[in-house]
Amino acid sequence: MAQQQNPSATATPPVNQATTTTGSAADDELLQAQAELWCHGLAYLKSIALQCAIKIGIPTAIHRCGGAASLPELHASSLIPVPASKQPCLSRVMKLLAASGIFREREAGVYCLTPVSRLLVEDDTSGGGHTSCLSSLALLFNTPFHFKASQRMAEWLIAGNKDDDDGAAETPLMMTYGMSLYDLVGRDTEFGTLFYKAMSGDSRFVAEILMRQCGEVFARAASLVDVGGGDGTTAKAIAKAFPQVRCSVLELPQLVDSVPPLVDDAVEFIAGDMMDFIPPADVVLLKVRAHNDG
Ligand SMILES: C[S@@+](CC[C@H](N)C(=O)[O-])C[C@H]1O[C@@H](n2cnc3c(N)ncnc32)[C@H](O)[C@@H]1O
């Protein structure tokens, strides 16, 4: 009886070792490139996973468990609102965040805070050099406004015809919403609230470092203007620490008009555009993205 031969065995000519190694290295490189492409293509999931962990309250929950906890421990302590049936999914989110350096997997399934996730703890009084929480800032990076506008980046880049409104838009955000980021902040209450919560958290964080590092500058000053100073968090912190400094904030008129908590005796708010005028002062502070980026 004739034996059936393995077609691939008969079709493949004998090859020397060098050819095999070269072919295999090239395939390895291709597979590596494909894996990297997957990673780049899905990189936005890292931001989504971070947003998810913040919304669920994982950094604060781990902090309240003493700085390290397993998911079953977090679940048992009722610190995170995720039903047991979904813990395997949360476990995958945590693995992704641990691989990204946001948490550290100390041992299988036990997660600790890292310097990054410590910035996301809501009530951190452990004295890690800061007392402010940057959760709102991290959430601000991922709003639907940002996602929707950034998905139009290519469309915005190739739109160049000055006769059409889209082509003339200064930014993808302007093209998508027909207004600047700061106009959006003024018009959308929810977005505006998140924006200023994020900015004041960031300002508190930076002010703590600024005062430690540049205290002698403020100690010698009699006046300071914080240009684009938002809700005045930084200026208020400086005024409190250095009462001899007369602090003011230069802000866009729509912001000064629309946000009541801006009124503060320690800080004067001046409505104006920094491109037109900056009030004279011993110290001019600028912590701002001055263009209407989107
Ligand atoms: C990114 S926020 C920073 C706020 C604050 N300096 C901080 O660090 O938290 C930028 C601020 O600059 C203000 N701004 C933008 N363009 C401005 C301009 N041309 N003149 C004055 N303020 C401006 C915005 O209203 C916004 O509050």
Side-chain angles (χ1 to χ4, degrees):
M1 199 164 97
Q3 271 200 324
Q4 196 177 0
Q5 289 191 316
N6 177 346
S8 64
T10 51
T12 308
V15 287
N16 65 32
Q17 189 61 35
T19 313
T20 307
T21 308
T22 308
S24 143
D27 283 345
D28 284 352
E29 199 174 285
L30 280 172
L31 288 170
Q32 177 62 28
Q34 185 215 28
E36 285 179 30
L37 188 62
W38 276 75
C39 285
H40 291 306
L42 295 172
Y44 68 94
L45 287 176
K46 211 194 277 186
S47 300
I48 299 290
L50 173 61
Q51 188 180 36
C52 169
I54 293 170
K55 286 184 172 171
I56 293 173
I58 301 220
T60 304
I62 293 179
H63 175 67
R64 288 187 186 159
C65 284
S70 66
L71 293 185
E73 278 167 346
L74 291 177
H75 189 251
S77 65
S78 307
L79 287 168
I80 52 169
V82 177
S85 62
K86 290 191 185 144
Q87 276 187 32
C89 304
L90 182 57
S91 165
R92 286 199 285 278
V93 171
M94 292 301 286
K95 289 216 179 288
L96 174 60
L97 291 172
S100 309
I102 290 163
F103 298 109
R104 184 168 68 82
E105 193 171 6
R106 193 178 67 184
E107 58 206 73
V110 177
Y111 294 95
C112 313
L113 296 174
T114 63
V116 181
S117 42
R118 228 167 271 134
L119 298 177
L120 307 171
V121 172
E122 265 162 31
D123 49 2
D124 191 357
T125 49
S126 57
H130 72 95
T131 53
S132 47
C133 171
L134 299 185
S135 287
S136 298
L137 184 73
L139 291 179
L140 180 69
F141 298 142
N142 290 301
T143 70
F145 289 122
H146 291 88
F147 269 110
K148 199 168 169 196
S150 56
Q151 279 171 340
R152 295 192 71 188
M153 191 186 292
E155 205 182 320
W156 172 77
L157 277 170
I158 56 180
N161 179 356
K162 289 280 178 195
D163 295 336
D164 83 69
D165 284 348
D166 276 359
E170 267 179 53
T171 63
L173 192 125
M174 196 88 98
M175 174 188 257
T176 308
Y177 295 103
M179 62 181 95
S180 74
L181 179 71
Y182 297 120
D183 286 334
L184 258 179
V185 165
R187 286 192 197 191
D188 187 292
T189 312
E190 199 181 330
F191 181 56
T193 304
L194 175 64
F195 184 86
Y196 284 106
K197 201 170 165 204
M199 287 303 119
S200 62
D202 192 52
S203 289
R204 263 193 302 280
F205 177 79
V206 173
E208 286 176 26
I209 296 171
L210 196 64
M211 258 140 9
R212 282 201 292 273
Q213 298 294 322
C214 309
E216 74 285 0
V217 174
F218 304 124
R220 290 199 305 266
S223 59
L224 171 145
V225 58
D226 188 0
V227 177
D231 68 355
T233 301
T234 308
K236 284 177 203 168
I238 294 170
K240 192 171 170 203
F242 300 92
Q244 92 288 358
V245 186
R246 207 175 58 257
C247 292
S248 49
V249 169
L250 176 72
E251 254 299 340
L252 292 171
Q254 63 266 38
L255 187 112
V256 175
D257 291 346
S258 71
V259 188
L262 288 178
V263 179
D264 187 298
D265 285 347
V267 170
E268 182 193 3
F269 282 85
I270 302 165
D273 186 329
M274 71 169 94
M275 301 303 174
D276 299 333
F277 166 75
I278 293 183
D282 292 344
V283 177
V284 174
L285 189 63
L286 183 68
K287 177 178 166 289
V288 68
R289 289 185 297 172
H291 49 100
N292 290 325
D293 50 338

